[in-house]
């Protein structure tokens, strides 16, 4: 929402954050694609017939969710003036917390096409407007005495590097900031560090190691003395505990013309029932693109994944649960983004045709040849069936560590008469495996290591399901992809 030009309030509005106490979760609501497909709380304008703000909220709750008898309704002491649509002056939102019974389910009106009950961290990431996310922070802080420590205090999300991020950093007055960038931004990293330093006055140290995901954020010993990490290019993974308070800057890109992209899809002869998946940078394009596809006669679907994913339509190279949730309703998937890593993983995980559409280059790649990739992987597995000595790789990064999986694989290997040792790494580097006396490896860290980078390693590198195929515990068909949850 934009800040108002004037402080005179032309109209009052209300919004309600519906939560359950046990477990502490929030209901969030999605507007239909024609209205942006964004996630919001219940909200509406105060009408002359409403006795006061709370009465207006109770009416909105009835109209938008069918909620007749809410639990306690509590002001969050959070008012946000904003420029009204259509130049109708300055309006003001007043936020309330509304407790609901865990058994309650909303009856949706035409205002929303989907409702979900999610953890506070997911709500604070997925809600579209900054002031919505701030309200969730306030709600979590308000409930701390009753429900325990604020589960989202350490994670903030920003669309871009800019004033909002700078203000949030200044508020925290960190003695030192750790800045971590993905490999694609290393050339700009020192300029970005300079920009943050100038805007906040805080020293910024660059983490020398670029990040591949929100799973490998900087560890405290990589940037000693850092009190906040700023991580660019990734969305948080809600189900991992971060070693430092972390501000994610998702580097959202507004670009791509939905109508032109739909023309490309039509010209490419793609099936009408399409599942949409997008990289984080292009998530803002999903709703308008979905809307245009609907207008063009397609049946697009967007799935919602498990607690490793922050947004609908999102996928990680290690988690395609959102796409899998709509597999029965689609004949192919369309990935909005760049690169092959996610489309290949999507094809392996879902066994559906997968097309990749680069929204900026406006180019549609041919479908992923899943059969060829699976054949190659199966040949690799077959070549390791007689391997005696196995190295089982474990990453120490918070979001990649699967020690329990590694121990289980080691037990199975030994049970079948093989030798197996566990090797721990932070980032796994092919050079660290040279000269070791293993016949083959199984990788429990990022699937990229086994799928994308397999050729870089001196010995065959399998995923955990492939290892079980090599042991004869799983059949080669159907091929099973490695996922995290
Ligand atoms: S484990 Fe790999 S695919 Fe999963 S989030 Fe991390 S970098 Fe991405």
């Amino acid at each position: 929402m934009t800040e108002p030009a004037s402080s005179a309030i032309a109209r009052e509005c209300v919004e309600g954050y519906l939560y359950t106490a046990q477990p502490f979760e929030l209901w969030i609501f999605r507007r239909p694609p024609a209205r942006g497909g964004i996630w919001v709380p219940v909200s509406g304008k105060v009408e002359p017939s409403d006795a006061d703000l709370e009465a207006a909220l109770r009416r909105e709750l009835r109209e938008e969710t069918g909620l007749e008898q809410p639990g306690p309704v509590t002001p969050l002491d959070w008012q946000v003036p904003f420029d009204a649509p259509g130049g109708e002056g300055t309006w003001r939102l007043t936020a309330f917390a509304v407790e609901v019974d865990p058994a309650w389910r909303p009856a949706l009106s035409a205002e929303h096409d989907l409702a979900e009950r999610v953890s506070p961290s997911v709500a604070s990431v997925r809600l579209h407007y900054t002031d919505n996310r701030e309200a969730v922070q306030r709600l979590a802080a308000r409930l701390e005495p009753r429900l325990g420590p604020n589960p989202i205090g350490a994670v903030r999300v920003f669309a871009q590097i800019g004033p909002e991020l700078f203000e949030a950093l200044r508020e925290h007055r960190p003695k030192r900031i750790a800045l971590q960038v993905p490999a694609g931004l290393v050339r700009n990293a020192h300029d970005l560090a300079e920009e943050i330093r100038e805007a906040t006055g805080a020293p910024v140290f660059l983490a020398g190691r670029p990040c591949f995901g929100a799973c490998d954020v900087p560890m405290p010993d990589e940037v000693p003395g850092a009190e906040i990490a700023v991580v660019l290019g990734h969305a948080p993974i809600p189900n991992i505990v971060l070693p430092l308070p972390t501000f994610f800057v998702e580097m959202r890109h507004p670009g791509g013309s939905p109508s032109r992209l739909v023309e490309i899809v039509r010209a490419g002869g793609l099936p009408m029932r399409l599942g949409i998946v997008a990289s984080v940078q292009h998530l803002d394009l999903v709703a308008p693109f979905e809307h245009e596809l609907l207008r063009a006669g397609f049946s697009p679907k967007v799935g919602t994944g498990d607690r490793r994913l922050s947004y609908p339509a999102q996928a990680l190279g290690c988690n395609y649960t959102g796409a899998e949730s709509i597999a029965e309703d689609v004949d192919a998937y369309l990935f909005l983004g760049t690169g092959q890593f996610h489309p290949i993983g999507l094809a392996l995980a879902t066994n559906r045709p997968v097309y990749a559409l680069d929204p900026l280059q406006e180019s549609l790649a041919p479908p992923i040849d899943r059969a060829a990739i699976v054949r190659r992987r199966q040949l690799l597995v077959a070549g390791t069936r007689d391997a005696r000595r196995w190295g089982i790789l474990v990453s120490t990064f918070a979001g990649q560590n699967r020690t329990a999986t590694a121990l289980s694989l080691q037990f199975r290997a030994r049970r079948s008469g093989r030798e197996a040792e566990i090797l721990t790494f932070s980032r796994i580097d092919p050079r660290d495996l040279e000269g070791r006396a293993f016949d083959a490896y199984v990788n429990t860290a990022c699937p990229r290591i086994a799928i994308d980078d397999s050729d870089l390693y001196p010995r065959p590198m399998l995923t955990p399901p492939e290892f079980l195929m090599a042991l004869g515990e799983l059949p080669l068909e159907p091929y099973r992809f490695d996922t995290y949850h």
Side-chain angles (χ1 to χ4, degrees):
M1 258 169 220
T2 45
E3 280 297 309
S6 135
S7 59
I9 303 302
R11 181 139 204 188
E12 296 288 353
C13 303
V14 286
E15 58 186 14
Y17 293 83
L18 280 63
Y19 71 95
T20 57
Q22 297 296 344
F24 177 28
E25 291 184 331
L26 283 102
W27 280 101
I28 56 174
F29 300 84
R30 194 179 71 176
R31 290 189 186 153
R35 297 189 56 212
I38 59 174
W39 291 85
V40 290
V42 170
S43 65
K45 294 177 269 211
V46 176
E47 301 294 346
S49 56
D50 295 319
D52 55 21
L53 294 177
E54 187 177 321
L57 176 69
R58 287 176 182 273
R59 177 182 50 71
E60 289 291 343
L61 291 171
R62 277 194 304 277
E63 290 171 5
E64 293 191 6
T65 73
L67 181 61
E68 293 285 349
Q69 293 188 319
V73 174
T74 328
L76 279 173
D77 301 327
W78 179 233
Q79 289 193 313
V80 184
F82 63 100
D83 285 337
E88 293 178 46
T90 299
W91 294 4
R92 181 168 58 195
L93 268 168
T94 301
F96 290 85
V98 180
E99 186 168 346
V100 295
D101 190 277
W104 176 77
R105 296 290 177 272
L108 294 184
S109 70
E111 288 281 316
H112 309 115
D113 67 352
L114 198 59
E116 259 192 75
R117 206 175 87 188
V118 297
S119 70
S121 343
V122 170
S124 73
V125 169
R126 207 187 285 172
L127 285 166
H128 182 76
Y129 294 109
T130 313
D131 55 88
N132 295 158
R133 302 201 288 256
E134 178 64 37
V136 174
Q137 293 274 0
R138 282 168 180 258
L139 172 62
R142 182 76 58 96
L143 291 175
E144 244 179 15
R146 188 174 146 210
L147 304 180
N150 176 357
I152 48 173
V155 176
R156 300 285 297 267
V157 178
F158 303 86
Q160 290 294 341
I161 295 182
E164 270 182 34
L165 169 71
F166 301 148
E167 197 183 320
L169 286 170
R170 281 196 297 266
E171 259 173 34
H172 279 70
R173 297 203 190 104
K175 289 199 188 74
R176 183 171 295 160
I177 295 169
L179 173 65
Q180 191 187 37
V181 303
L185 283 178
V186 288
R187 277 182 75 82
N188 312 71
H190 61 283
D191 289 339
L192 297 171
E194 178 84 31
E195 196 180 342
I196 295 174
R197 185 165 36 243
E198 274 182 9
T200 63
V204 179
F205 281 23
L206 276 168
R209 178 178 60 78
C211 49
F212 284 98
C215 59
D216 61 356
V217 295
M219 308 298 270
D221 61 348
E222 287 182 275
V223 190
E227 292 180 336
I228 288 186
V230 175
V231 172
L232 305 190
H234 298 292
I237 297 178
N239 70 352
I240 63 175
V241 178
L242 297 168
L244 281 173
T246 305
F247 290 5
F248 290 91
V249 185
E250 295 177 342
M251 310 299 275
R252 295 281 183 115
H253 198 296
S257 152
S259 54
R260 272 209 306 280
L261 295 175
V262 169
E263 277 316 306
I264 294 169
V265 170
R266 194 202 292 280
L270 270 63
M272 303 305 278
R273 299 194 323 151
L274 274 179
I276 310 299
V277 178
S279 64
V280 169
Q281 283 67 47
H282 297 292
L283 283 173
D284 291 342
L285 181 61
V286 171
F289 180 58
E290 202 185 347
H291 181 55
E292 284 299 320
L293 282 170
L294 279 168
R295 276 162 45 98
F298 285 85
S299 301
K301 282 270 180 292
V302 168
T304 300
D306 67 12
R307 284 159 195 255
R308 198 166 165 85
L309 299 177
S310 293
Y311 303 103
Q314 189 196 359
L316 294 174
C318 56
N319 186 305
Y320 295 91
T321 49
E324 286 165 341
S325 72
I326 50 170
E328 295 310 314
D329 302 322
V330 304
D331 298 317
Y333 289 96
L334 184 62
F335 175 74
L336 298 174
T338 54
Q340 290 277 289
F341 177 56
H342 290 101
I344 288 176
L346 187 51
L348 290 176
T350 62
N351 198 8
R352 291 276 194 288
V354 174
Y355 298 80
L357 179 58
D358 182 332
L360 302 180
Q361 301 297 321
E362 298 189 345
S363 60
L364 180 70
I368 297 295
D369 189 349
R370 181 182 192 274
I373 298 168
V374 167
R375 258 195 318 278
R376 218 170 45 238
R377 299 302 306 178
Q378 289 169 335
L379 277 175
L380 193 67
V381 171
T384 59
R385 284 220 156 120
D386 295 329
R388 306 305 308 162
R389 287 186 180 164
W390 286 83
I392 302 175
L393 309 185
V394 173
S395 167
T396 53
F397 289 134
Q400 290 190 19
N401 181 282
R402 286 196 291 179
T403 302
T405 303
L407 286 168
S408 157
L409 296 177
Q410 186 182 46
F411 170 76
R412 287 155 181 240
R414 289 179 174 167
R415 189 175 60 186
S416 71
R418 274 108 167 156
E419 293 173 35
E421 296 302 335
I422 291 175
L423 291 88
T424 59
F425 297 83
S426 50
R427 168 149 302 160
I428 295 166
D429 184 318
R431 285 167 301 186
D432 294 331
L433 299 187
E434 281 169 11
R436 293 184 184 269
F438 293 108
D439 302 320
Y441 293 96
V442 51
N443 163 53
T444 66
C446 175
R448 185 187 296 271
I449 292 163
I451 301 293
D452 248 26
D453 298 345
S454 173
D455 294 344
L456 304 177
Y457 290 89
R459 292 277 185 276
M461 178 72 69
L462 304 192
T463 66
E466 289 170 345
F467 179 60
L468 297 181
M469 294 174 200
L471 295 188
E473 288 195 26
L474 277 181
L476 285 175
E477 285 289 353
Y479 177 82
R480 293 237 333 250
F481 186 57
D482 182 30
T483 50
Y484 281 39
H485 301 284

